[in-house]
Amino acid sequence: MPSARPPLSRRRLLTAGAAAAAAPGLAAAPARAAGRPGPFGRHGSPARRRTPGTLYVDPGGRGDFTSVQAAVTAATGAGRTLVIAPGVYRETVLVDAGRTDMTWIGASGDPGDVVIVYDNAAGTPRPGGGTYGTSGSATVTVQADGFTAHRITFANDWLRAGHPDVTGTQAVALKAQGDRTAFLHCRFLGHQDTLYADTTALGILARQYYAHCYAEGDVDFVFGRATAVFEHCRFRTLNRTDLATAPYGFVFAPSTAGANPRGFLVLHGRVGGEAPDGYYKLARPWVPSSDPTARPMLTVRDTWLGPGIDAVAPYTDMSAAHPWQDQRFAEYRNTGPGAVVTVPGNRPQLTAAQAASATRETHLGDWAPWKEC
């Protein structure tokens, strides 16, 4: 079994790369003297805005704002752009439904340089009483339609080991609810419930697109009821030293509404990690109490599944009342040790004809965000 990592390794990892860039004035003068771009790279500056509606965020004070939420609050109306300089932004952020067609750009081009992180969990006490709950734990919540993020890290660094008294261990890095929401070359870091691909309400369609992204976690770390396409994405399962036996967790937990013909679609991805062989399930269905008629849907195709995935029984139930066999789980042309079919009844496969309709185009309709990659 792999050796245990230090308990606060994620926090150190997040701060090590970006903290230097966040420090006010650190190496700023030599960088300019060498002819290198400022904190916003090729994306302009407050003195040379790329568009009149562009705002600049820099923790060192060289932009319009030092926090992302302050910039979002100021960016009223539709079609605004935020260029975010390298740094660690320890805050929670809400993009409400009125801020449509907003774009966030990580200025350096490296998603590891721009980190938005906080450490609330579902069981974290609220200042005014009660707890945050799963949705309230999110570091970033996006309710607006037409949101796009480029090369940014969304993280929740709450750790079970640091809070043994808390039972609500869900800790969301990103909750996306809007339609036409895209994340390109982004990272999502957490443990339980890392990436919440959801909608604003039952019966509301929310199409989401994740391309060349990276997500890691342990329990249900990609979940929700959105119609979501994950193309060329990597999913990393984390080791767990607090558990002695399998399963350590579940990669996907869709909660697709029964009336929705399109749930989660994973294309040309990779599922790997550091857990022992066979210690993770690929998915389990989530039928929430708020929608007992949900019929979760997940299709994983043309994807490499590493040895950490239980090839014999990759799916399991979240509730005995809603067995995974009654849901819409399917695979097609997957490879890797976790994709080996040993018990055919446990690995539902699409036919070639069915696979022809399991595409990004059928899932996303008249919206083609891959053209922006």
Side-chain angles (χ1 to χ4, degrees):
M1 182 176 294
S3 60
R5 296 190 303 178
L8 295 181
S9 59
R10 170 166 286 110
R11 183 164 292 177
R12 286 197 292 268
L13 174 66
L14 290 172
T15 56
L26 183 61
R32 282 194 295 268
R36 297 175 184 172
F40 306 109
R42 61 185 179 84
H43 301 287
S45 68
R48 297 179 295 103
R49 298 184 191 275
R50 53 184 286 157
T51 68
T54 299
L55 296 175
Y56 293 85
V57 186
D58 173 38
R62 294 164 290 183
D64 300 301
F65 301 94
T66 58
S67 81
V68 179
Q69 183 61 68
V72 170
T73 301
T76 56
R80 303 298 295 272
T81 297
L82 269 57
V83 177
I84 307 175
V88 176
Y89 299 84
R90 181 160 287 277
E91 58 179 307
T92 59
V93 183
L94 170 64
V95 181
D96 63 53
R99 288 166 168 76
T100 56
D101 299 309
M102 177 174 279
T103 299
W104 292 4
I105 299 172
S108 74
D110 182 345
D113 289 342
V114 179
V115 179
I116 307 171
V117 58
Y118 210 71
D119 60 350
N120 283 331
T124 300
R126 284 183 178 272
T131 58
Y132 282 98
T134 300
S135 291
S137 74
T139 298
V140 175
T141 301
V142 178
Q143 299 171 340
D145 292 342
F147 178 89
T148 302
H150 299 263
R151 302 179 186 275
I152 293 171
T153 293
F154 302 85
N156 189 318
D157 62 359
W158 189 91
L159 295 173
R160 299 181 186 95
H163 305 273
D165 57 321
V166 175
T167 57
T169 57
Q170 300 89 343
V172 178
L174 172 79
K175 182 174 184 179
Q177 297 178 279
D179 186 35
R180 296 180 295 103
T181 300
F183 295 85
L184 311 177
H185 300 274
C186 289
R187 300 192 307 165
F188 309 95
L189 308 182
H191 280 267
Q192 182 172 353
D193 292 5
T194 304
L195 173 54
Y196 195 173
D198 202 42
T199 73
T200 53
L202 182 63
I204 300 297
L205 177 67
R207 296 166 296 173
Q208 300 176 11
Y209 182 68
Y210 302 80
H212 304 282
C213 288
Y214 170 93
E216 70 176 28
D218 48 44
V219 177
D220 305 331
F221 65 92
V222 180
F223 73 115
R225 68 175 170 226
T227 294
V229 174
F230 302 88
E231 186 167 23
H232 297 294
C233 292
R234 292 186 297 136
F235 306 91
R236 180 168 176 258
T237 58
L238 298 177
N239 194 20
R240 295 188 64 175
T241 58
D242 59 319
L243 295 180
T245 60
Y248 278 1
F250 320 89
V251 181
F252 300 100
S255 58
T256 321
N260 187 354
R262 309 292 177 195
F264 286 0
L265 173 64
V266 180
L267 297 167
H268 307 294
R270 291 183 66 85
V271 180
E274 58 187 41
D277 291 0
Y279 268 53
Y280 269 84
K281 302 293 187 181
L282 184 60
R284 62 178 181 171
W286 176 31
V287 179
S289 58
S290 59
D291 182 18
T293 64
R295 192 158 174 249
M297 182 179 185
L298 167 70
T299 301
V300 181
R301 59 171 300 174
D302 301 293
T303 290
W304 184 84
L305 305 180
I309 298 300
D310 181 355
V312 175
Y315 306 105
T316 191
D317 302 337
M318 186 178 295
S319 166
H322 304 284
W324 74 264
Q325 294 90 341
D326 292 347
Q327 314 310 322
R328 295 174 285 178
F329 287 178
E331 301 177 51
Y332 184 68
R333 293 194 314 198
N334 293 325
T335 58
V340 175
V341 179
T342 59
V343 181
N346 289 344
R347 309 296 299 251
Q349 303 289 316
L350 297 178
T351 65
Q354 291 170 329
S357 63
T359 66
R360 63 190 185 184
E361 289 83 2
T362 56
H363 269 61
L364 302 181
D366 60 357
W367 179 49
W370 52 88
K371 295 180 180 179
E372 298 182 30
C373 291

